[in-house]
Amino acid sequence: MSKRIGEIVLVAGLLAAGMMLASCDKGQPKDGAGKKKIVVGFSQIGAESDWRKANTESIKAEAAKRGIELKFADAQQKQENQIQALRSFIQMKVDVIAFSPVVETGWEPVLREIKKAGIPVILSDRAVDVSDDSLFKTFIGADFVEEGRRAGRWLVKKTGGKAKIAELQGTPGSAPAIDRKKGFEEILKDHPDMKIIKSQTGDFTRAKGKEVFESFLKSPEGKEINVLYAHNDDMALGAIQAIEEAGKKPGKDILIVSIDGVRGAFEAMVAGKLNCSVECNPLLGPQMFDLVEKIVAGQEIPKRVVVEEGVFDESQAKEALPTRKY
Ligand code: GZL
């Protein structure tokens, strides 16, 4: 009899344990095979440029392809909205947090909260300036300083080292704006006849790029400007409109070199209105989710993943355009 009772107690115990496990798993997303789904919180800067839209599309498409649950937040280019989203991901107890920081500074407090919650962080596209790099697992993105150098080297070759340059800078305080300026000026310092005579932010948008370049053309130095260096294609495309409305020929009266390599830039190069676009690849989704899966599996990952990119000028645009992915 006692053996029978023992068996019943054992079965009841196993059932209770099974139910308890099931209950603590309650609410955890499952994939088709009942396996716990990876949940990633992603805070995106906004939709300020064609580059950003392609970046968002790559991230969303790759998450869907891998069956990863993506909690996606668009910050409309405001740091406070990103910080709010990062805090909400802590509450959601996501497995990994990834974000593209709109500016380099102001992240330490929220990154410490995330570290305290034991959630790993991936920096996507842009870096942060923090005193403790254990606050993030890895940074995947381009080398913006090199992108600035590439734009400068191309311009030296194109102009023979003589130019009066107007510069449209990206978002103030952002890694690409700081580093693209740094790299470009590093090249210019060996060419005293290449001078930046106007420089202002266009915040990476086409509208602001047009507005600021209109003001450049109306300024006392306006007539001297014979080159535009834009930190991204969207601002360059806005400036092209301003140049045409002022009765000048973009790509001829004013040479234009910009960065990103979006489809609109290739179309402008084919039309002879833009002369060079330094590529900055937005299609980070596949590499980023490789890193996510490695982190979740407890594997080691590199602290820095650099994205490979090229330089395209008007001579290559026509051939390259049909196969561009963004
Ligand atoms: C660069 C990215 C920049 C692009 C802009 O990696 O952060 O932000 O150059 C975008 O087009 O707005």
Side-chain angles (χ1 to χ4, degrees):
M1 181 62 168
S2 61
K3 189 167 172 296
R4 188 88 184 103
I5 290 169
E7 280 167 351
I8 292 166
V9 169
L10 177 65
V11 167
L14 286 173
L15 271 175
M19 278 159 71
M20 210 166 71
L21 266 178
S23 67
C24 78
D25 239 3
K26 205 165 65 224
Q28 291 291 335
K30 295 257 188 304
D31 67 14
K35 213 169 105 224
K36 182 178 170 303
K37 259 189 175 188
I38 295 174
V39 182
V40 173
F42 190 90
S43 167
Q44 179 61 295
I45 289 176
E48 75 280 3
S49 63
D50 289 349
W51 188 99
R52 186 66 53 200
K53 292 167 195 161
N55 178 246
T56 290
E57 178 48 39
S58 172
I59 287 160
K60 286 183 172 177
E62 193 64 23
K65 187 175 154 196
R66 296 181 187 221
I68 287 173
E69 181 163 343
L70 184 69
K71 308 280 187 192
F72 184 90
D74 176 325
Q76 277 95 41
Q77 281 190 282
K78 291 186 174 59
Q79 181 175 31
E80 60 269 26
N81 292 348
Q82 288 202 282
I83 291 171
Q84 195 180 359
L86 296 176
R87 287 194 167 118
S88 71
F89 298 149
I90 297 174
Q91 298 311 315
M92 293 177 206
K93 294 188 168 53
V94 298
D95 298 304
V96 178
I97 288 175
F99 73 112
S100 179
V102 62
V103 292
E104 286 190 338
T105 55
W107 303 101
E108 294 228 13
V110 69
L111 288 174
R112 291 196 187 288
E113 291 167 33
I114 297 171
K115 183 176 181 181
K116 194 155 168 276
I119 302 174
V121 172
I122 294 178
L123 300 179
S124 168
D125 164 35
R126 297 185 184 179
V128 294
D129 178 7
V130 290
S131 58
D132 170 7
D133 74 359
S134 76
L135 291 172
F136 61 91
K137 288 289 277 186
T138 186
F139 162 39
I140 173 172
D143 177 346
F144 301 131
V145 177
E146 179 55 23
E147 289 173 348
R149 292 193 196 103
R150 288 176 179 172
R153 289 188 203 112
W154 179 86
L155 196 59
V156 166
K157 237 167 55 208
K158 183 76 178 179
T159 60
K162 206 167 163 34
K164 293 276 175 48
I165 303 160
E167 179 184 28
L168 287 172
Q169 297 184 41
T171 303
S174 69
I178 293 167
D179 289 350
R180 286 171 180 169
K181 184 171 187 55
K182 186 171 154 197
F184 187 73
E185 291 179 344
E186 192 184 292
I187 298 299
L188 254 50
K189 73 177 182 319
D190 301 331
H191 301 278
D193 289 338
M194 294 183 75
K195 291 186 186 335
I196 297 175
I197 60 171
K198 297 297 283 182
S199 184
Q200 192 178 326
T201 182
D203 209 14
F204 284 132
T205 69
R206 193 177 296 213
K208 197 93 175 94
K210 178 172 189 273
E211 182 194 317
V212 171
F213 208 80
E214 280 164 353
S215 70
F216 283 173
L217 292 172
K218 289 181 188 133
S219 72
E221 302 84 352
K223 290 194 177 19
E224 294 175 64
I225 297 170
N226 58 14
V227 167
L228 162 60
Y229 169 48
H231 290 188
N232 84 329
D233 294 336
D234 287 69
M235 293 189 292
L237 294 170
I240 285 170
Q241 281 179 285
I243 295 167
E244 289 179 319
E245 284 169 14
K248 293 193 169 200
K249 290 192 178 62
K252 296 181 182 54
D253 301 333
I254 297 179
L255 292 176
I256 303 176
V257 54
S258 65
I259 300 177
D260 276 352
V262 298
R263 178 173 300 281
F266 277 79
E267 288 161 351
M269 284 194 276
V270 169
K273 297 181 180 179
L274 187 130
N275 306 92
C276 175
S277 184
V278 175
E279 190 180 33
C280 177
N281 187 347
L283 308 180
L284 303 180
Q287 282 178 285
M288 193 186 83
F289 284 108
D290 281 347
L291 293 165
V292 165
E293 290 177 344
K294 284 196 167 97
I295 289 169
V296 170
Q299 293 170 16
E300 273 311 301
I301 58 167
K303 195 74 183 174
R304 177 76 174 93
V305 178
V306 182
V307 186
E308 292 312 314
E309 312 163 323
V311 180
F312 293 88
D313 77 6
E314 52 207 315
S315 65
Q316 302 149 299
K318 198 170 172 65
E319 191 190 338
L321 181 57
T323 54
R324 294 297 297 169
K325 295 201 189 96
Y326 66 94

